Amino acid sequence: MPKPLKPPKPVLLADTEAELSCQIEALLADPAHQSNPLREPLAHLLACNQVHQAQLRRLIRISDGYQTLSRRHHETLENQYERQLHRLEKLARISDRYQNSLRELSETLKQASLQDSLTGLGNRRFLMDRLAQETERANRKQAPFTLGILDVDWFKTINDRFGHEAGDTALCAIAQAITRALREYDVCGRWGGEEFLILLPETSIEFALRIAQRVCDEIKATRFDFMEERITASLGLSVYRPGERFSDTLKRADEALLRAKANGRDRMEA
């Protein structure tokens, strides 16, 4: 009779799961996520996972007890191994399901933290991450990008005349209009309030002006049931200069936007 194999040593927590739990706890402790609608279910699932791990440890101890009991009853090592292996496989399947659920919720929370809840566009945090990436790529490839900051003209009057719900509707429609006017690889996000940031990779100022005009025309063509007037926008453009911080590029774009508003709005400045 061949010598039976030694049962594998059970592993309760994989390194990846321990790291994932730490990441989830850090996200839950971050004040920036206190109002996120996914925070409560994620905290609940994390607590369930901790309870599950305690149950796993208890089951392993019970399993060890069965092992001792089986030796006392002169059970064969082969039968003992088969039974223990079956238990461990079952526990591993349960543990895998919990790990997958934690990963999916963690990814969902991460995506939600980068998205503007009203317009569905990327939020300021998302845009800052993309600006850092695009700056590194522009320096590496020596292919500067163009930034645009767009401000909806006289937006406060929409809220004052028709209410904030109408203002939210207008912002969502404007976000869609900007997206339609951009190229597939361009980036647009909500910079704050009624301001939007547009990132045009590897784009000269001459071509950026054409895209910006298309954006403004698309916004102006958008109509709303609650108002007869057309909405317009002012836009400031700036080209990234290799080696500078992207905050400098943003500053020049913001200055160009101020000039556009000072010169009568419904226009572009670079």
Side-chain angles (χ1 to χ4, degrees):
M1 176 176 176
K3 185 176 180 181
L5 296 175
K6 241 176 137 181
K9 185 177 180 181
V11 179
L12 295 180
L13 286 172
D15 290 342
T16 54
E17 183 176 357
E19 293 171 0
L20 182 60
S21 294
C22 289
Q23 292 174 6
I24 296 297
E25 291 174 355
L27 284 170
L28 292 172
D30 190 341
H33 302 316
Q34 293 301 310
S35 61
N36 195 295
L38 292 174
R39 184 180 183 279
E40 184 176 347
L42 183 59
H44 179 69
L45 184 57
L46 182 62
C48 289
N49 182 63
Q50 292 170 343
V51 171
H52 165 67
Q53 295 301 331
Q55 291 174 340
L56 288 181
R57 288 190 288 270
R58 182 172 178 272
L59 286 171
I60 292 300
R61 289 195 298 271
I62 293 173
S63 177
D64 291 339
Y66 273 115
Q67 204 172 25
T68 302
L69 184 63
S70 64
R71 284 197 297 267
R72 290 175 181 173
H73 287 82
H74 307 289
E75 292 182 355
T76 66
L77 289 176
E78 184 174 0
N79 289 337
Q80 179 184 343
Y81 170 75
E82 290 296 335
R83 231 182 5 260
Q84 181 75 351
L85 182 60
H86 177 73
R87 292 192 189 99
L88 292 176
E89 288 174 345
K90 183 178 180 180
L91 292 174
R93 288 193 298 271
I94 296 172
S95 180
D96 287 343
R97 285 197 294 270
Y98 273 96
Q99 287 186 50
N100 290 336
S101 296
L102 282 173
R103 289 192 190 95
E104 290 172 3
L105 272 176
S106 177
E107 185 61 29
T108 301
L109 181 60
K110 180 181 177 182
Q111 291 301 320
S113 71
L114 298 175
Q115 188 178 59
D116 176 56
S117 58
L118 175 63
T119 63
L121 297 178
N123 59 17
R124 196 182 188 97
R125 179 180 175 185
F126 164 81
L127 291 168
M128 295 294 282
D129 289 345
R130 288 301 303 266
L131 280 170
Q133 295 170 15
E134 192 59 35
T135 298
E136 189 278 331
R137 191 165 75 98
N139 287 322
R140 186 179 70 251
K141 299 181 65 176
Q142 292 298 303
F145 57 88
T146 297
L147 275 184
I149 300 180
L150 182 146
D151 183 80
V152 182
D153 294 332
W154 311 114
F155 183 75
K156 185 176 183 300
T157 61
I158 297 177
N159 284 332
D160 292 343
R161 290 176 58 193
F162 307 106
H164 289 279
E165 185 176 348
D168 289 347
T169 299
L171 282 176
C172 292
I174 290 167
Q176 294 171 8
I178 296 172
T179 302
R180 287 195 302 269
L182 296 178
R183 299 166 297 185
E184 183 178 352
Y185 52 86
D186 294 330
V187 178
C188 175
R190 189 178 179 192
W191 193 236
E194 64 270 22
E195 284 190 346
F196 296 84
L197 185 73
I198 298 171
L199 173 59
L200 307 174
E202 300 184 28
T203 304
S204 65
I205 190 63
E206 293 78 17
F207 199 75
L209 285 167
R210 292 166 57 187
I211 297 174
Q213 186 61 60
R214 197 163 65 219
V215 168
C216 291
D217 291 343
E218 191 72 32
I219 292 174
K220 195 178 297 186
T222 303
R223 304 305 300 268
F224 300 95
D225 295 337
F226 54 83
M227 61 184 292
E228 294 182 1
E229 302 90 336
R230 294 181 184 271
I231 291 179
T232 62
S234 302
L235 207 156
L237 294 169
S238 176
V239 178
Y240 174 76
R241 297 168 184 170
E244 73 175 356
R245 297 173 303 179
F246 64 76
S247 58
D248 296 328
T249 316
L250 279 169
K251 182 179 178 182
R252 291 197 304 277
D254 192 52
E255 291 170 349
L257 172 62
L258 292 175
R259 289 197 303 272
K261 294 165 73 173
N263 290 333
R265 303 176 188 262
D266 188 18
R267 58 185 291 119
M268 297 171 293
E269 293 285 346

